[in-house]
Amino acid sequence: MKDMEKSDAPSRGRSGGRQPEKNRQLLIDATLDTIAIHGITETTVSRIIERAALSRGMIHLHFGGKDNLLVAAAQAFNEAYYDEMERQMAGQSDTPAETVMAVVRADLSAELLNERSAKIWHAFRGVASANPEIARFSDTRDFRLRQTLRQVFDRIVEDAGHAAESRLARDATYGTLVMMEGMWTDFLTHMDAFDRTEAERIVRRFLSGLFPDSF
């Protein structure tokens, strides 16, 4: 993800300057960094403003409070994920099977899957059940990703002449999403042993069982 890896040093903000967009971004970045280091429960207003080097009132000025700031941070994290996903997929083969694998490779890449991003995503997932707004940006079945995969699997099913198997594309979509989520969890718990190439191979092998002629 773009700028997914952040420095542990506090952000350099100003305690009042007329830089609304810059200050807003500083607060979002500081919130994400604090979540990665301390978790959501310990992401306090004091820690956020210390890291952003901004005054406490800036949170209320730009977001109306900490809860809205957390939602904005979840949204920014989600958007950065797709920005990097699209960047990596630009110019990739439009062969349906390779499009799927390009999504998988991007999702497993160091730019998207790293210690900071894994901790942030799992922190948001941990509070999603109690916070519908955050849940919108941390859903395993995220609409954009689900639709991207489903459209490609529909093409594979059609090209392979399996149109009669109405559930095949759906099963492939959800199976791939579950495996991708599982890889993020495995990375978080076994960072030193995680092998991105092996993870990609496992996903491809799963898909080859559904579409032996494509994968």
Side-chain angles (χ1 to χ4, degrees):
M1 182 177 291
K2 294 179 180 178
D3 297 326
M4 186 66 80
E5 300 282 12
K6 296 286 185 180
S7 167
D8 286 340
S11 304
R12 299 301 179 188
R14 291 185 181 177
S15 165
R18 296 177 180 275
Q19 307 176 80
E21 288 305 315
K22 179 180 178 181
N23 290 339
R24 191 177 189 278
Q25 191 60 50
L26 283 169
L27 289 168
I28 288 174
D29 290 342
T31 300
L32 292 171
D33 286 343
T34 305
I35 290 171
I37 296 169
H38 301 287
I40 284 187
T41 302
E42 299 301 321
T43 295
T44 62
V45 169
S46 295
R47 279 179 165 150
I48 294 170
I49 61 173
E50 179 182 5
R51 190 169 190 85
L54 291 169
S55 66
R56 183 177 294 264
M58 285 291 179
I59 291 180
H60 291 279
L61 175 65
H62 294 291
F63 301 98
K66 177 188 168 184
D67 289 346
N68 289 339
L69 172 55
L70 288 174
V71 173
Q75 181 176 5
F77 183 78
N78 179 270
E79 290 174 351
Y81 172 91
Y82 283 106
D83 285 347
E84 178 61 22
M85 174 75 72
E86 291 174 5
R87 187 193 71 78
Q88 291 197 33
M89 292 186 66
Q92 295 285 338
S93 169
D94 60 359
T95 302
E98 285 311 307
T99 298
V100 171
M101 295 312 301
V103 171
V104 173
R105 276 192 299 274
D107 184 72
L108 293 170
S109 69
E111 290 81 4
L112 286 176
L113 178 55
N114 51 66
E115 181 175 356
R116 178 177 181 270
S117 64
K119 287 181 176 179
I120 291 171
W121 186 75
H122 280 85
F124 283 137
R125 291 284 291 147
V127 300
S129 61
N131 191 319
E133 289 300 306
I134 287 179
R136 288 196 303 131
F137 303 111
S138 59
D139 191 344
T140 303
R141 299 184 180 185
D142 180 271
F143 178 79
R144 290 173 65 181
L145 188 57
R146 175 162 47 89
Q147 284 297 101
T148 296
L149 290 172
R150 179 59 187 267
Q151 289 172 3
V152 180
F153 281 126
D154 280 338
R155 288 177 57 194
I156 294 174
V157 167
E158 183 178 353
D159 291 346
H162 296 315
E165 299 182 50
S166 59
R167 295 186 177 182
L168 186 55
R170 185 202 64 178
D171 292 350
T173 299
Y174 287 122
T176 303
L177 289 172
V178 168
M179 294 196 76
M180 290 165 66
E181 179 181 8
M183 295 305 180
W184 276 58
T185 300
D186 188 57
F187 175 87
L188 183 64
T189 53
H190 303 96
M191 290 185 193
D192 293 338
F194 189 82
D195 186 325
R196 299 175 199 275
T197 302
E198 181 69 1
E200 179 186 341
R201 185 193 66 77
I202 291 170
V203 176
R204 185 183 287 273
R205 183 167 186 178
F206 158 72
L207 292 172
S208 71
L210 297 178
F211 307 104
D213 296 332
S214 298
F215 293 92

